[in-house]
């Protein structure tokens, strides 16, 4: 049987073009349209768009593949506290003006490395602790007050120099003020807002809430941990107020995303004056107050034994003022009553080796503010 070479070539060409067209139709393209590189950024692919692109995708068993490298891309299904999936989260690093082409397949995925984690800690006075592969934090619960231990209004920082999750290990050892080789808790909060907590600011006074009374985990890794803390009603200059704070920490980031909702019985109060604070050490450190861009950075004085912690706050909206008041740096602004407001706060430790001086820390905060203002990640389904 003779085969016509011309016909065979034509058939092969049709097959090739059809395969290319099918592959192109089935890929999702994530592009960096900005003029700066993006490193280890967690992005959201809306689940509704993914399902429309891949209607037969098995939610319980699928994988994502980088078409160029043929490597699997770890992901997380984000629920945001709902019963149904809201987003597929992936972590990407992209040079400027480059793109990542993804293919979703109905195949079992690899085991994912946990990069974020958080939990309620009943064994330690109702702490709530959370971490990622860079840094760790905690806030204090009601049992701290009831146990006669006093109050602590702020966000605590647990420095770390490992990508592994350390919260459970440190609580089990019950010696988290000692460095066992992966970091420790040497950050002091006291009666301040600590590392970037928020509180109402009325009549030249900070009206601290007490510690949180309820908690709820919305998502818990491997790429993003999100949880809610509720604060019981307290007095704010004669008005009754309560609060819900939703805190989210992504893998690879030094910063928490904090969504705050204050509600008061004074219905005529449209805006609530608030402050976001960072505790100031008595020794000499370095700070940067950029009121126009809403960025506050603090590089603490060096601890001879433990190193240096940097703390920072990013405010997306208009800032009224920044000041040093007693033992705190304060960012002053107004947020809407009974509505959600989002800002960012976080920390870094020089011994982790990623950011080792004040210039690098302040630059990181400024670059993150630019990314938040101009998110030039494009997703093509």
């Amino acid at each position: 049987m003779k085969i016509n070479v011309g016909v065979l070539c034509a058939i092969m060409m049709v097959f090739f073009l059809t395969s290319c067209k099918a592959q192109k139709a089935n890929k999702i393209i994530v592009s960096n349209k900005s003029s700066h590189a993006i490193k280890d950024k967690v992005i959201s692919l809306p689940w509704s768009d993914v399902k429309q692109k891949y209607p037969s995708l098995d939610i319980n068993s699928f994988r994502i593949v980088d078409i160029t490298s043929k490597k699997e891309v770890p992901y997380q299904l984000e629920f945001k506290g709902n019963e149904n999936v809201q987003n597929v989260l992936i972590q990407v690093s992209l040079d400027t003006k480059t793109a990542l082409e993804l293919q979703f397949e109905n195949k079992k995925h690899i085991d994912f490395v946990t990069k974020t984690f958080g939990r309620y800690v009943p064994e330690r006075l109702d702490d709530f602790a959370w971490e990622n592969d860079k840094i760790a934090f905690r806030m204090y619960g009601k049992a701290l007050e009831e146990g006669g231990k006093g109050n602590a209004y702020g966000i605590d920082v647990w420095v770390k120099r490992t990508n592994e999750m350390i919260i459970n290990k440190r609580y089990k050892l019950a010696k988290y003020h000692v460095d066992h080789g992966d970091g420790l808790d040497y950050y002091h909060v006291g009666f301040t807002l600590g590392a970037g907590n928020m509180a109402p600011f009325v009549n030249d006074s900070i009206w601290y809430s007490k510690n949180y009374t309820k908690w709820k985990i919305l998502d818990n890794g491997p790429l993003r941990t999100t949880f809610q803390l509720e604060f019981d009603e307290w007095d704010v200059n004669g008005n009754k107020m309560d609060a819900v704070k939703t805190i989210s920490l992504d893998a690879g980031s030094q910063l928490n995303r904090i969504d705050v909702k204050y509600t008061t019985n004074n219905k005529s109060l449209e805006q609530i004056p608030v402050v976001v604070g960072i505790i100031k050490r008595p020794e000499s450190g370095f700070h940067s107050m950029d009121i126009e861009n809403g960025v506050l950075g603090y590089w603490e004085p060096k601890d001879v034994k433990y190193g240096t912690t940097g703390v920072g706050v990013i405010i997306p909206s208009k800032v009224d003022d920044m000041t040093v008041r007693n033992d705190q740096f304060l960012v002053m602004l107004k947020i809407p009553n009974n509505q959600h407001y989002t800002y960012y706060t976080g920390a870094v430790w020089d011994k982790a080796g990623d950011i080792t001086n004040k210039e690098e820390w302040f630059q990181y905060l400024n670059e993150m503010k630019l990314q938040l203002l101009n998110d030039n990640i494009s997703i093509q389904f």
Side-chain angles (χ1 to χ4, degrees):
M1 176 180 172
K2 293 184 177 180
I3 299 176
N4 188 306
V5 176
V7 173
L8 180 61
C9 288
I11 293 173
M12 291 178 64
M13 181 61 70
V14 170
F15 177 78
F16 175 77
L17 292 174
T18 302
S19 298
C20 290
K21 185 177 180 180
Q23 187 181 53
K24 182 177 181 180
N26 286 330
K27 67 184 178 183
I28 295 174
I29 304 173
V30 179
S31 304
N32 178 10
K33 301 293 186 181
S34 69
S35 58
H36 58 267
I38 293 172
K39 181 181 178 182
D40 294 334
K41 181 179 177 64
V42 176
I43 65 168
S44 302
L45 307 176
W47 179 247
S48 57
D49 292 333
V50 172
K51 281 295 289 182
Q52 185 174 0
K53 186 80 172 180
Y54 300 96
S56 61
L57 194 66
D58 182 357
I59 190 173
N60 297 309
S61 181
F62 72 89
R63 68 177 186 174
I64 305 174
V65 177
D66 178 342
I67 292 176
T68 301
S69 68
K70 309 301 181 183
K71 294 181 179 179
E72 271 197 60
V73 177
Y75 66 86
Q76 174 183 334
L77 297 179
E78 184 182 35
F79 290 84
K80 293 188 172 182
N82 296 287
E83 292 184 1
N84 299 319
V85 177
Q86 305 297 302
N87 297 298
V88 179
L89 305 178
I90 61 172
Q91 188 176 27
V92 301
S93 294
L94 289 169
D95 289 333
T96 179
K97 310 299 183 184
T98 61
L100 178 66
E101 297 183 345
L102 303 173
Q103 182 84 35
F104 285 60
E105 300 175 349
N106 276 325
K107 294 182 180 179
K108 181 176 174 57
H109 63 70
I110 58 174
D111 292 333
F112 301 147
V113 176
T114 298
K115 296 184 179 182
T116 69
F117 173 72
R119 77 172 177 96
Y120 166 62
V121 190
E123 68 268 30
R124 219 307 299 194
L125 298 172
D126 290 349
D127 284 357
F128 197 100
W130 69 101
E131 64 180 316
N132 66 1
D133 49 349
K134 300 292 183 181
I135 195 78
F137 305 90
R138 71 169 167 171
M139 288 186 74
Y140 304 96
K142 195 72 174 176
L144 185 66
E145 304 165 31
E146 296 173 347
K149 302 285 186 179
N151 207 340
Y153 306 110
I155 298 173
D156 190 19
V157 178
W158 283 17
V159 295
K160 55 188 289 188
R161 55 165 169 262
T162 175
N163 294 334
E164 297 179 359
M165 303 295 99
I166 51 83
I167 285 174
N168 286 336
K169 175 184 174 182
R170 290 192 187 174
Y171 276 111
K172 185 176 181 179
L173 290 171
K175 294 181 179 179
Y176 34 83
H177 298 298
V178 178
D179 189 350
H180 296 279
D182 56 12
L184 73 159
D185 172 21
Y186 78 97
Y187 191 82
H188 174 65
V189 174
F191 298 116
T192 74
L193 294 167
N197 202 9
M198 177 186 284
F201 185 76
V202 184
N203 284 345
D204 204 36
S205 296
I206 302 174
W207 297 79
Y208 295 101
S209 69
K210 292 187 178 181
N211 296 334
Y212 81 86
T213 54
K214 296 179 182 178
W215 61 273
K216 181 181 180 182
I217 294 177
L218 306 182
D219 291 285
N220 206 0
L223 296 177
R224 174 176 294 164
T225 290
T226 305
F227 59 95
Q228 283 185 346
L229 301 179
E230 294 186 24
F231 298 79
D232 283 349
E233 189 177 80
W234 77 101
D235 179 76
V236 178
N237 194 40
N239 294 313
K240 298 298 182 182
M241 188 173 294
D242 59 41
V244 178
K245 299 184 179 183
T246 304
I247 300 173
S248 182
L249 181 62
D250 284 357
S253 177
Q254 304 291 154
L255 301 175
N256 297 287
R257 181 185 188 273
I258 302 185
D259 177 279
V260 181
K261 183 180 180 182
Y262 287 116
T263 304
T264 175
N265 63 334
N266 186 348
K267 303 303 181 183
S268 65
L269 188 64
E270 294 184 0
Q271 290 191 312
I272 300 172
V274 298
V275 288
V276 178
I278 297 175
I279 184 171
K280 180 182 181 297
R281 309 305 176 190
E283 301 82 13
S284 179
F286 301 92
H287 66 272
S288 173
M289 291 183 173
D290 188 342
I291 298 175
E292 183 177 351
N293 290 312
V295 179
L296 168 63
Y298 182 40
W299 190 252
E300 291 193 339
K302 181 178 180 179
D303 185 295
V304 176
K305 186 175 181 180
Y306 298 125
T308 306
T309 300
V311 186
V313 170
I314 297 176
I315 305 296
S317 62
K318 179 181 179 298
V319 169
D320 295 330
D321 196 10
M322 292 185 184
T323 187
V324 182
R325 179 188 174 92
N326 299 327
D327 56 350
Q328 298 190 74
F329 297 99
L330 297 178
V331 182
M332 301 177 179
L333 65 151
K334 296 180 182 66
I335 66 172
N337 177 28
N338 199 28
Q339 294 184 37
H340 294 274
Y341 179 84
T342 299
Y343 72 102
Y344 299 83
T345 184
V348 70
W349 189 35
D350 64 341
K351 286 193 174 183
D354 291 333
I355 297 173
T356 59
N357 56 60
K358 65 181 187 300
E359 290 83 9
E360 292 175 349
W361 179 231
F362 297 160
Q363 181 182 356
Y364 175 87
L365 294 171
N366 288 323
E367 288 178 353
M368 290 304 298
K369 177 61 185 287
L370 288 175
Q371 288 189 33
L372 292 171
L373 286 176
N374 307 293
D375 189 356
N376 288 314
I377 291 286
S378 170
I379 303 172
Q380 180 183 341
F381 288 92

